[in-house]
Amino acid sequence: MYFVTPRQLIFPGDVIATTDSKVEGPVYVDNGRYRSLVVGLVEFREDGVVVVPLEGTYKPKKGDVVVGYVTDVLATGWEIDVRSFMPAYLPVSEALHRHVDLETTPLTTFLNIGDVVIAKVKDVDLTDEYPIILTLKEERVGKVESGTVVEITPVKVPRLIGKRGSMLNTLMEVGCDIIVGQNGRVWIRCRDTRDEVFLATLVRKIEAESHVMGLTDRIRAEVEKYKTQRQQGAV
């Protein structure tokens, strides 16, 4: 038996269902009932209910695409901030496609403190000094030379992408490059910086209103209105 409705906003301790029902997500059992551990939304799926947190930190997984900032230059690589409670490391071997003599070539030639990179998580090992190992040897990753980076709560990333990429595809109709990092950083690059400002505003709107029904349709309407105004020279 369920005690919630689709897209319902719930709080820690709220009853979701009895234990004979299928419930996934951050929940706990109390006297034969599932209760929520977080502030979140209820999503009904074919095989049960899922609690989607509205707040939370980034928990890295192998294969994740992340947007990070270089925070330190080390002897054989770089320390990268990926908004995790664990430090991330980008070794030279995973950043460059050719051999480099580290005795004669400073690593700051390639990446320096403050630089932005789009990377992929190659491995996560909690026993290492740097539990998160990154790589740039994948498609659509590397040093970011231009564009805008917007930060959102990592748990809102699925809403920003949308079902089957519907929300992200809507944003990309503006005609810009967009990469959504699983760590809640979104990279946007447009030919016109005004388009970047517009998209950054929409990204923050999606984050703030992720629990609102019909959000994708409203965002699509804003994108169409903006495109029309741009064609008319009004923006």
Side-chain angles (χ1 to χ4, degrees):
M1 177 184 294
Y2 295 108
F3 298 93
V4 290
T5 57
R7 305 297 295 172
Q8 179 178 331
L9 180 65
I10 56 175
F11 297 89
D14 284 355
V15 177
I16 301 166
T18 53
T19 52
D20 58 350
S21 306
K22 184 174 181 181
V23 179
E24 297 180 3
V27 297
Y28 65 97
V29 176
D30 175 38
N31 292 326
R33 295 182 176 185
Y34 286 110
R35 293 180 181 269
S36 178
L37 282 168
V38 299
V39 177
L41 287 177
V42 175
E43 288 193 359
F44 277 74
R45 299 180 183 174
E46 292 181 2
D47 57 347
V49 161
V50 178
V51 175
V52 181
L54 292 181
E55 299 175 352
T57 58
Y58 169 59
K59 298 177 182 178
K61 302 185 302 296
K62 183 177 180 179
D64 281 356
V65 172
V66 295
V67 180
Y69 292 99
V70 178
T71 55
D72 198 4
V73 182
L74 308 172
T76 57
W78 300 265
E79 183 176 294
I80 311 292
D81 164 35
V82 294
R83 300 184 75 193
S84 173
F85 60 92
M86 300 180 290
Y89 177 58
L90 174 63
V92 171
S93 60
E94 293 296 335
L96 306 178
H97 294 272
R98 60 183 176 84
H99 174 72
V100 173
D101 185 348
L102 299 182
E103 293 185 359
T104 60
T105 306
L107 289 185
T108 52
T109 303
F110 308 101
L111 288 172
N112 207 346
I113 294 174
D115 285 344
V116 181
V117 294
I118 298 170
K120 182 168 282 191
V121 177
K122 183 177 182 180
D123 196 16
V124 178
D125 186 348
L126 298 180
T127 64
D128 285 351
E129 179 183 1
Y130 286 95
I132 309 170
I133 302 300
L134 304 177
T135 182
L136 300 185
K137 292 186 174 180
E138 299 281 349
E139 293 184 1
R140 300 195 73 192
V141 299
K143 180 180 178 181
V144 171
E145 301 287 355
S146 60
T148 299
V149 175
V150 183
E151 291 196 0
I152 64 173
T153 303
V155 296
K156 302 291 184 72
V157 166
R159 189 69 184 96
L160 180 62
I161 296 174
K163 293 182 179 179
R164 299 183 181 88
S166 57
M167 185 72 84
L168 180 58
N169 289 335
T170 297
L171 296 177
M172 294 185 72
E173 289 179 8
V174 175
C176 303
D177 295 321
I178 304 174
I179 291 181
V180 181
Q182 292 298 317
N183 60 333
R185 289 193 179 123
V186 185
W187 173 70
I188 305 168
R189 182 179 63 186
C190 309
R191 293 182 180 179
D192 192 325
T193 56
R194 288 174 295 183
D195 293 346
E196 291 181 10
V197 172
F198 170 69
L199 285 173
T201 300
L202 287 189
V203 167
R204 294 189 179 96
K205 182 181 182 68
I206 294 167
E207 178 189 26
E209 302 181 13
S210 61
H211 60 286
V212 178
M213 294 288 290
L215 180 60
T216 301
D217 290 338
R218 291 194 293 109
I219 293 297
R220 184 177 291 112
E222 291 200 34
V223 167
E224 291 301 322
K225 178 181 178 181
Y226 179 81
K227 288 165 60 181
T228 299
Q229 291 176 335
R230 187 176 60 184
Q231 290 173 354
Q232 296 173 348
V235 294

